[in-house]
Amino acid sequence: MTASAASISGGADHGARHVAIIMDGNGRWAKGRHLPRAVGHQRGVEAVRVLARAARSMGLEALTLYAFSSENWRRPADEISDLMGLLKRFIRSDIEEFVANGVRLKIIGDYRALSADIVALLDDALARTAGNRGTTLVIALNYGSQAEIARAAAAAAAKGPITPETIEAELDTADLPPLDLLIRTSGEVRLSNFLLWQAAYAEMVFTDVLWPDFTPAHLEEALAAFARRDRRYGGR
Ligand code: IPE
Ligand code: IPE
Ligand code: MG
């Protein structure tokens, strides 16, 4: 959609409804400052908090954040435990604000495989924000796109013919707007098993900014770049 078409239809000027971010570079941020990796992850959570607030004012319907991949279990146990601790604290401290501000929380990925206390916290947060109609904050937890597609294909097959449409209807993201823009921080140019299906026609922005340094101004910059793109979907 062009910027002008977006304003006519009442959406935000940039025209993006759904943005996803691969939040990468916490470790390198900490290393560059001779700090423990855990501090990088803490600062990463701060960046999430600030950005989640800003997403509403930028007119986004959905903001999807890659927080923990199904491959991140390969990391040392103490780092995984730091990340899970941060997740717990984030949900506990921010849930009231989500409830008050109309943010709907959604989780994609196999979050039920996380520890029982985290699953309980997440289920409570999901239930309490389910009726909200503001921005949907989607957190990808224990998420892997290939497993998601395999699960969706199996679910589609159990119901009838397998087509792109029937698979798509079974993806974790089925109730979200199509993915418009995918951002990755930290200079890596790969998808790392994130939203492979959904990214078929997403625009991509790769930035060298490390995740803890990523601000709403960086998101606005990416949205401005998105608004200048010519999305053709194979046509001309
Ligand atoms: C992103 O930062 C956070 C997670 C993957 C959980 P990293 O921890 O991957 O940071 P780098 O890539 O080592 O700098
Ligand atoms: C991708 O980052 C996963 C998240 C941001 C949660 P990684 O740091 O795990 O990706 P690779 O290992 O560099 O591909
Ligand atoms: Mg990384």
Side-chain angles (χ1 to χ4, degrees):
M1 193 190 286
T2 63
S4 57
S7 23
I8 290 161
S9 70
D13 278 351
H14 48 71
R17 299 171 66 199
H18 182 184
V19 174
I21 309 182
I22 302 174
M23 309 184 289
D24 200 9
N26 294 351
R28 279 162 284 167
W29 184 94
K31 195 170 181 201
R33 286 166 179 73
H34 307 287
L35 293 167
R37 282 185 79 84
V39 178
H41 291 315
Q42 278 164 23
R43 296 295 291 265
V45 173
E46 275 315 306
V48 167
R49 192 168 274 135
V50 173
L51 203 72
R53 285 184 189 141
R56 291 188 303 136
S57 61
M58 292 184 205
L60 295 180
E61 287 173 51
L63 177 65
T64 299
L65 302 176
Y66 204 6
F68 194 86
S69 77
S70 47
E71 289 72 34
N72 286 146
W73 296 110
R74 294 177 186 153
R75 296 194 180 200
D78 61 339
E79 181 171 3
I80 293 173
S81 137
D82 287 341
L83 288 166
M84 294 301 154
L86 283 168
L87 172 66
K88 250 193 272 186
R89 260 173 279 154
F90 173 70
I91 299 293
R92 279 208 191 107
S93 59
D94 285 44
I95 178 66
E96 298 306 335
E97 189 176 325
F98 294 157
V99 172
N101 292 336
V103 173
R104 182 172 77 107
L105 188 69
K106 179 179 166 75
I107 310 292
I108 60 172
D110 187 12
Y111 77 94
R112 290 185 177 281
L114 302 180
S115 70
D117 56 339
I118 294 184
V119 175
L121 261 179
L122 289 171
D123 279 338
D124 174 65
L126 291 170
R128 291 183 62 196
T129 62
N132 285 351
R133 291 289 167 265
T135 302
T136 300
L137 178 65
V138 187
I139 305 184
L141 281 176
N142 192 20
Y143 176 87
S145 186
Q146 292 177 333
E148 178 199 27
I149 293 168
R151 277 198 305 270
K159 292 181 186 169
I162 303 182
T163 68
E165 291 74 23
T166 62
I167 290 176
E168 194 154 282
E170 301 294 340
L171 293 173
D172 295 357
T173 51
D175 61 338
L176 297 173
L179 182 62
D180 293 306
L181 174 61
L182 178 64
I183 300 170
R184 182 168 189 149
T185 60
S186 88
E188 307 299 346
V189 184
R190 57 175 170 263
L191 295 181
S192 301
N193 204 13
F194 189 50
L195 301 180
L196 304 179
W197 180 290
Q198 295 85 343
Y201 272 104
E203 296 295 324
M204 306 213 182
V205 168
F206 295 95
T207 169
D208 287 340
V209 174
L210 300 174
W211 176 251
D213 291 329
F214 194 86
T215 64
H218 292 115
L219 178 54
E220 272 170 2
E221 228 172 84
L223 287 166
F226 170 83
R228 292 190 296 269
R229 303 267 175 99
D230 178 17
R231 301 180 87 186
R232 296 188 184 167
Y233 299 100
R236 58 177 289 239

